[in-house]
Amino acid sequence: RLQTGNLQERIDTKSAVGVTTNPSIFQAAQSKGTAYDAQVKELAERGADVDATIRTVTTDDVRNACDVLAKQYELSDGVDGRVSIEVDPRLAHDTDKTILQAIELWKIVDRPNLLIKIPATEAGLPAITAVIAEGISVNVTLIFSVERHRAVMDAYLAGLEKAKEAGHDLSRIHSVASFFVSRVDSEIDKRLEDIGSDEALALRGKAGVANARLAYAAYEEVFLGGDRYAPLKSAGARVQRPLWASTGGKNPDYSDTLYVTELVGPNTVNTMPEKTMDAVADHGVITGDTVTGRAAESQEIFDQLSSIGIDLTDVFLALENEGVEKFEKSWQEL
């Protein structure tokens, strides 16, 4: 995308204003095609080990992408033009090592429009606070439940409070909370099909969007009316924007633009795979805000899911564990 001008073309013709990377994307890029062969060969000849090679290859790409998006960053006062890079997923359950690597990646890439991705695991939460406290912008990834999203917002606010104490310019610290959408439907649909009743089958494809809308309502509560955020806002702090991740349709029975058109709202980000972006550009019908004020009906869907026997706590735990495992597996393959 960088070498062919494809990324610039997406920016110019499809309104792309940022890029996210993750271990699975890098793994796929390395294993298919020859784009990285010369760089890997050169690093090997210089005696770089596997970890150093991966670090160089990924941070070079991300730095170059930051440069391509620098104009979007400047024009939007730092809101857009963001590129995300993930800490090694093998550190997902190690707070201290996550903090150290986040700081290291921030220094290596050395671009103001970078976001460091830290997973919303139990060990990730204190790492988010510590990294924000250093004045570093963070993309919190692998959020599946509203409950965990609330803990993530708390971690962000705690980080801002510490950053303020340390004298950092709060207006330069940005954060997004990446809420995974289609995976929630995939997991819950599977369980609904196992139940098999008409009532259960009628709820298929509804949980992902409902879950995201409930997350947005929690965001509004914390950032649009919250007592804790108010003094930070006065000091220049930004809201932590909800980001809809995993928005490519996984079920061909559903609209291929479902996780975009149904999740349009102020201060949100949507990271789309190329196929989804093209589908939205081609036939997506955007009717305006589709998230604000939808909490009550979304809660009703979750109440129905619980009443027919879907264990939501188990669903979210399974998704988090699977998410970390998938990224870890991709990293090992990479």
Side-chain angles (χ1 to χ4, degrees):
R1 290 185 194 284
L2 288 161
Q3 289 165 2
T4 62
N6 165 277
L7 175 57
Q8 188 60 55
E9 184 204 346
R10 294 268 135 194
I11 293 164
D12 296 340
T13 66
K14 295 288 196 294
S15 310
V17 291
V19 181
T20 186
T21 67
N22 66 39
S24 301
I25 292 167
F26 276 126
Q27 184 268 331
Q30 286 275 2
S31 60
K32 295 170 192 162
T34 58
Y36 295 91
D37 290 4
Q39 187 181 16
V40 171
K41 185 169 181 282
E42 186 196 326
L43 287 162
E45 282 167 359
R46 291 204 313 234
D49 65 9
V50 171
D51 280 322
T53 302
I54 290 171
R55 190 163 54 243
T56 303
V57 168
T58 55
T59 54
D60 281 3
D61 268 10
V62 167
R63 187 184 305 107
N64 291 337
C66 282
D67 290 343
V68 172
L69 283 149
K71 188 177 159 196
Q72 277 66 29
Y73 172 75
E74 282 153 23
L75 290 173
S76 63
D77 186 28
V79 174
D80 288 326
R82 294 276 163 180
V83 185
S84 295
I85 190 167
E86 188 132 13
V87 293
D88 184 335
R90 292 171 298 185
L91 308 178
H93 302 295
D94 189 321
T95 303
D96 294 342
K97 285 184 179 169
T98 294
I99 295 166
L100 288 172
Q101 196 183 68
I103 294 168
E104 180 189 35
L105 288 170
W106 183 257
K107 285 176 179 167
I108 293 171
V109 176
D110 193 25
R111 293 293 184 272
N113 49 333
L114 180 68
L115 287 171
I116 304 289
K117 282 176 109 166
I118 297 175
T121 53
E122 293 286 355
L125 294 170
I128 292 156
T129 296
V131 173
I132 292 283
E134 293 287 333
I136 294 170
S137 296
V138 173
N139 174 344
V140 184
T141 186
L142 290 176
I143 308 172
F144 295 99
S145 71
V146 176
E147 183 188 16
R148 187 55 60 88
H149 179 219
R150 286 186 182 278
V152 165
M153 291 188 285
D154 280 346
Y156 173 60
L157 292 173
L160 286 177
E161 286 157 359
K162 289 183 176 180
K164 187 182 172 189
E165 275 171 40
H168 288 291
D169 176 357
L170 298 191
S171 70
R172 294 181 68 81
I173 303 171
H174 285 252
S175 185
V176 291
S178 292
F179 214 81
F180 282 54
V181 188
S182 67
R183 289 191 200 179
V184 171
D185 272 340
S186 299
E187 182 64 30
I188 289 181
D189 283 2
K190 197 168 66 187
R191 297 182 186 213
L192 290 168
E193 280 156 17
D194 286 344
I195 293 168
S197 66
D198 290 348
E199 194 187 1
L201 297 177
L203 287 166
R204 284 179 301 181
K206 293 185 175 175
V209 167
N211 198 33
R213 286 172 174 168
L214 287 169
Y216 190 80
Y219 149 81
E220 287 183 308
E221 201 182 294
V222 172
F223 291 103
L224 304 190
D227 295 340
R228 192 173 174 191
Y229 176 63
L232 293 164
K233 185 183 179 184
S234 305
R238 315 269 187 160
V239 298
Q240 183 183 51
R241 290 179 291 162
L243 179 152
W244 315 128
S246 177
T247 57
K250 290 183 172 56
N251 186 331
D253 295 341
Y254 304 152
S255 159
D256 55 0
T257 65
L258 172 70
Y259 303 117
V260 180
T261 58
E262 295 308 303
L263 292 173
V264 176
N267 280 324
T268 55
V269 183
N270 195 312
T271 54
M272 305 176 213
E274 189 164 43
K275 203 171 147 191
T276 306
M277 183 178 272
D278 288 340
V280 174
D282 179 60
H283 53 264
V285 181
I286 309 296
T287 56
D289 186 341
T290 49
V291 288
T292 309
R294 308 290 287 268
E297 66 185 88
S298 300
Q299 188 55 53
E300 210 171 287
I301 289 166
F302 272 75
D303 292 344
Q304 288 170 358
L305 289 166
S306 295
S307 71
I308 61 166
I310 299 293
D311 181 345
L312 293 164
T313 307
D314 185 67
V315 165
F316 297 135
L317 185 65
L319 284 167
E320 183 182 304
N321 290 338
E322 183 194 315
V324 172
E325 279 163 26
K326 271 184 182 169
F327 281 169
E328 222 174 278
K329 186 169 178 278
S330 295
W331 199 260
Q332 298 287 10
E333 286 173 6
L334 174 60

